[in-house]
Amino acid sequence: MLTAEGHDPRLLEDLRERIIRGGPCTFAEFMERALYSPETGYYMSRKREPGRKGDFFTSVSVGRCFGDLLAEHLAATWARLGEPAPWDVVELGAGEGWLIADVLGRLRETKSSVLQVEPRFSAVEKSPAGLERLRRRCASLAPPASVCAAANLMELPQPQGSAFLFANELIDALPVHLVMRQDQEWRELYVTMPDTGPPFRWLAGELSSPEVAREVEAIPQRDYPEGYRTEVRPAARLWLQEVARWMNRGVLLIMDYGLSAGELYDPGRTAGTLQCRHGHLQHGDPLLRAGRQDITAHVDFTALAAAAKECGFELRFLQAQESFLVGLARARLLAWESGSDGLSAGREKWLRQFRQLTHPSLMGRAFHVMELERVATSNACGK
């Protein structure tokens, strides 16, 4: 049952009790509860079906093309690193396991030499329902795949050697704090409950923590108009710190939509990048349908790269998804083009998926790929 405003009633009551007890909450806490509260959070309580039946599309929901090409990159990375063994492969924010299953399936189809070292495949997913479906999906492969699944990265056995970790559209769903330019100062926007009217409203106040202040200080100094709103994401730094504590050495591949700090904090982007999706309709009001809509914000790749450096990662590259995938597919496309037997129905389907993933006006330019490599553990984020 939903309230008149479309909120999950149990989550609405939980948020009401929190605000009555503790006063206005940061939007990061509101977003965390709206997305990840056990049983009532958007990612935790409903069957997520990216694609036509769900609320949004992802690169994975387009089809197997994305996983095929990621498998090619995984194999190339393993070779570049000197064919290490043991070798851990981990998907972070794995959802229902479509991507890791596609990657493993492609490695098997091509009889990749990566499999000779018997890599350990693992997946991290917060949602208990998602974890269960992930296990079933991997068990249904022929032959069944043994994938270690956990709700938290630190629950997985730490790698004894190198690791390859990848995260697709994970960071954009990490909670953000909302800040606003007011009287030539940065103020934070909190969520409170009015006596009448809609259940939630905004309230401006002081920055909530030193961590938020640190992120705000990194915003480029420009002439922002009064009322300008944007987001900062200390949770991304904490996420990177956890990854750095877990892995000894190896590669972290991040695929998401976002911008550099110079583009993200453009004075003309007065409402920030916060976006909500429900039934494939996109809007910018995150205070609607708590627990029943997706809430995300663009990744600040400049801030992410700086935090990664502090944690002992080296930036190998940051490029548009279009460039990344075209590079991986070039040999295959040339072979098909030079073939005399034409394209099969399977190849035509794959090419349609490839075009959607790489087209500049679809996913090709909006999404970016960042590869980080960890070669040292002598910093504060490491072991």
Side-chain angles (χ1 to χ4, degrees):
M1 177 182 177
L2 299 179
T3 67
E5 296 80 15
H7 302 284
D8 181 288
R10 295 173 298 169
L11 182 59
L12 182 62
E13 185 59 28
D14 175 64
L15 288 164
R16 187 193 309 276
E17 291 180 1
R18 157 62 188 85
I19 292 173
I20 291 174
R21 182 180 67 253
C25 66
T26 65
F27 177 71
E29 181 179 350
F30 179 93
M31 183 173 171
E32 174 75 29
R33 289 173 181 252
L35 296 181
Y36 300 107
S37 287
E39 299 183 6
T40 58
Y42 176 81
Y43 291 136
M44 309 293 278
S45 64
R46 70 195 298 273
K47 182 180 180 181
R48 284 182 290 161
E49 289 187 287
R52 297 185 187 280
K53 295 181 180 180
D55 293 327
F56 52 85
F57 284 98
T58 70
S59 295
V60 181
S61 63
V62 170
R64 279 200 57 183
C65 176
F66 191 69
D68 282 357
L69 294 176
L70 184 57
E72 302 281 353
H73 183 67
L74 186 155
T77 299
W78 177 72
R80 180 180 64 81
L81 295 178
E83 302 183 354
W87 177 239
D88 276 80
V89 178
V90 184
E91 181 179 6
L92 304 169
E96 298 181 9
W98 287 105
L99 182 53
I100 196 167
D102 288 346
V103 169
L104 182 53
R106 179 61 181 174
L107 292 174
R108 286 175 168 178
E109 288 173 5
T110 59
K111 297 180 173 58
S112 173
S113 55
V114 172
L115 299 178
Q116 295 175 6
V117 300
E118 298 182 350
R120 179 173 58 188
F121 286 85
S122 303
V124 176
E125 170 56 39
K126 277 188 174 185
S127 166
L131 271 180
E132 181 57 34
R133 288 191 285 270
L134 184 152
R135 292 189 180 101
R136 290 202 302 266
R137 177 158 291 111
C138 292
S140 69
L141 295 176
S146 176
V147 175
C148 181
N152 186 283
L153 178 62
M154 303 308 288
E155 295 176 10
L156 295 177
Q158 288 190 284
Q160 299 304 307
S162 293
F164 181 91
L165 284 71
F166 58 99
N168 181 56
E169 294 192 56
L170 169 64
I171 296 179
D172 65 78
L174 293 180
V176 294
H177 291 257
L178 295 186
V179 294
M180 179 178 70
R181 199 68 175 165
Q182 189 176 73
D183 298 328
Q184 299 185 337
E185 294 183 347
W186 288 109
R187 305 269 285 171
E188 185 162 355
L189 287 173
Y190 294 78
V191 179
T192 188
M193 303 190 78
D195 295 332
T196 60
F200 305 110
R201 68 175 176 84
W202 299 110
L203 178 67
E206 300 295 323
L207 301 182
S208 60
S209 70
E211 291 74 24
V212 172
R214 177 181 180 177
E215 301 294 329
V216 168
E217 287 174 4
I219 294 176
Q221 295 186 12
R222 293 171 172 170
D223 186 16
Y224 296 103
E226 180 76 5
Y228 177 92
R229 295 187 181 190
T230 192
E231 315 89 21
V232 294
R233 186 180 269 122
R237 183 184 301 273
L238 297 177
W239 179 79
L240 280 169
Q241 289 173 354
E242 181 177 74
V243 172
R245 286 194 297 271
W246 183 82
M247 70 186 295
N248 181 41
R249 58 186 180 275
V251 165
L252 171 61
L253 193 72
I254 297 169
M255 299 157 285
D256 222 317
Y257 53 88
L259 300 164
S260 68
E263 298 169 300
L264 184 65
Y265 300 112
D266 187 297
R269 198 184 300 277
T270 57
T273 68
L274 202 67
Q275 49 193 2
C276 309
R277 291 183 179 87
H278 178 77
H280 285 293
L281 297 176
Q282 181 175 315
H283 63 91
D285 190 346
L287 301 186
L288 297 176
R289 303 188 187 94
R292 296 304 189 207
Q293 68 177 4
D294 190 26
I295 308 173
T296 64
H298 280 45
V299 176
D300 179 349
F301 281 109
T302 301
L304 196 63
K309 184 176 182 181
E310 293 177 5
C311 290
F313 289 99
E314 297 178 1
L315 176 64
R316 291 204 70 248
F317 63 77
L318 171 63
Q319 57 188 167
Q321 179 169 289
E322 173 192 21
S323 301
F324 177 70
L325 296 182
V326 167
L328 292 172
R330 183 171 289 112
R332 184 187 308 205
L333 296 174
L334 289 174
W336 287 353
E337 184 178 352
S338 61
S340 58
D341 56 346
L343 291 174
S344 66
R347 289 181 180 179
E348 287 283 8
K349 181 179 180 180
W350 194 94
L351 283 171
R352 286 196 299 270
Q353 296 170 9
F354 179 74
R355 294 187 190 103
Q356 183 171 347
L357 292 170
T358 58
H359 196 286
S361 65
L362 297 174
M363 296 175 138
R365 301 274 176 87
F367 287 77
H368 290 75
V369 182
M370 171 182 276
E371 182 163 281
L372 304 167
E373 186 166 344
R374 183 166 168 79
V375 295
T377 59
S378 59
N379 61 84
C381 294
K383 297 177 185 175

